[in-house]
């Protein structure tokens, strides 16, 4: 754990899950800027009801609860990892489990409640921010203080225009340590249009109907990588348990289910919105099939030696951070979850070099299909 020297004293913070050679912190300069601004402007009083959106690993919630033990705080976001990180950081700083009410992105409080202060860490996904601002509207009044933050290079006019359109007049701060704040004045006259999410998507070439929440990858159409993977998905009567790892809207698992009618499908993703989308889409497109859905970190909670086939399109971003550690974790855990003879099928951009990592881990890796941009790799769990 690293120590953040907050205005209230040292706060221990760590990313989740912990890794031996962690190079990234659980907070950034935008978190520091936000907290310092809140303290300097005395935005919190003993009766404040505070809402935090997209708190990374609980850095904001844990720090503010340390300084204001009586604070009524609700924190919501779409990342299971951030929620588990928040719980771990609360425990590390000796905060009780009820110090922060952690909710996910589709789980908001009952209407009629309002917040005096709203803090927003601006997410990478503009559509997620749009969905959140629509959901936020019933919980704010003209007297609500709203402050948003991100690193300056990630703050774009599109963010500011969205705040102006859906909440009210928006101004920005000067940059400090390459971070910037946005101050949004809640205006009851701001646009109160219907939330466009979740969005419906028809894939006529596959005869599929999909419904995608705001934070789902490729929610507006079929991306070229997924299209290529779908064209080459395996079919084999040996596949009794198939896992769609990092499932997104569940498209891979749905088509795999259609190709392998005897298989049970398991969908996993760390995004609450992704798993909700996958669950809905499977029920619509495979109404008489059995499947299970789990919001989790890669394959955490999935039984070892239980799967015959794992399908994986690994992400190489975590919010605004480019990283390969998620893919590497997916590969390691897949080897543990697959039965002997079980297969991991991975698609990736050719330049990512996944074949090197897979061959080192599994002892084998072959190309199932490739084109000028993507490669589909297959590794098999051999007998020890």
């Amino acid at each position: 754990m690293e120590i953040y020297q907050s205005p209230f004293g040292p706060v221990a913070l760590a990313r989740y899950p912990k890794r031996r050679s962690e190079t990234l912190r659980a907070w950034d300069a935008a978190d520091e800027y936000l907290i310092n601004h809140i303290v300097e402007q005395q935005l919190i009083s003993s009766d404040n009801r505070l809402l935090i959106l997209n708190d990374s690993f609980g850095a904001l919630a844990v720090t503010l609860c340390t300084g204001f033990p009586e604070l009524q705080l609700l924190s919501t976001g779409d990342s299971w990892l951030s929620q588990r990180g928040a719980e771990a950081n609360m425990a590390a700083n000796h905060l009780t489990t009820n110090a922060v009410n952690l909710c996910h992105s589709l789980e908001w409080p009952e209407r009629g409640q309002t917040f005096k202060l709203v803090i927003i860490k601006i997410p990478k996904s503009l559509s997620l921010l749009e969905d959140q601002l629509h959901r936020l509207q019933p919980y704010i009044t003209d007297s609500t203080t709203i402050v948003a933050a991100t690193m300056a290079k990630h703050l774009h006019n599109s963010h500011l225009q969205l705040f102006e359109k859906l909440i009210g007049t928006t101004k920005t701060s000067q940059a400090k340590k390459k971070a910037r704040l946005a101050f949004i004045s809640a205006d009851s006259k701001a646009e109160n249009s219907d939330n466009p999410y979740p969005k419906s998507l028809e894939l006529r070439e596959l005869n599929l109907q999909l419904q995608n929440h705001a934070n789902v990858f490729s929610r507006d159409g079929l991306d070229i990588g997924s299209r290529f993977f779908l064209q080459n998905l395996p079919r084999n009567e040996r596949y009794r348990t198939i896992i769609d790892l990092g499932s997104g809207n569940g498209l891979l698992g749905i088509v795999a289910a259609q190709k392998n009618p005897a298989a049970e499908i398991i969908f996993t993703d760390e995004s609450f919105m992704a798993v909700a989308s996958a669950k809905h889409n499977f029920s619509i497109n495979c109404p008489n099939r059995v499947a299970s859905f789990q919001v989790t970190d890669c394959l955490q909670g999935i039984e070892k030696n239980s799967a015959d086939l794992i399908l994986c399109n690994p992400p190489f971003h975590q919010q605004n951070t480019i990283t390969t550690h998620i893919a590497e974790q997916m590969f390691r855990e897949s080897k543990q979850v697959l039965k002997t003879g079980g297969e991991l099928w991975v698609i990736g951009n050719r330049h990512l070099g996944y074949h090197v990592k897979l061959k080192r881990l599994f002892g084998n890796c072959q190309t199932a299909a490739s084109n000028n941009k993507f490669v589909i790799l297959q590794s098999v769990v051999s007998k020890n």
Side-chain angles (χ1 to χ4, degrees), residues 210 256 272 303 347:
L210 303 177
F272 292 99
E303 185 180 352
I347 186 171

Side-chain angles (χ1 to χ4, degrees), residues 241-243 245 266 268 298-310 330-340 342-343 362 381:
T241 302
I242 299 174
I243 299 177
L245 171 57
I266 300 173
T268 76
C298 294
L299 292 170
Q300 184 174 322
I302 305 298
E303 185 180 352
K304 301 290 191 293
N305 305 310
S306 64
D308 302 292
L309 173 67
I310 295 178
M330 287 177 161
F331 301 162
R332 290 194 307 271
E333 294 185 9
S334 291
K335 186 181 179 184
Q336 296 173 344
V337 167
L338 285 166
K339 302 173 183 176
T340 298
E343 304 167 17
F362 285 82
V381 177

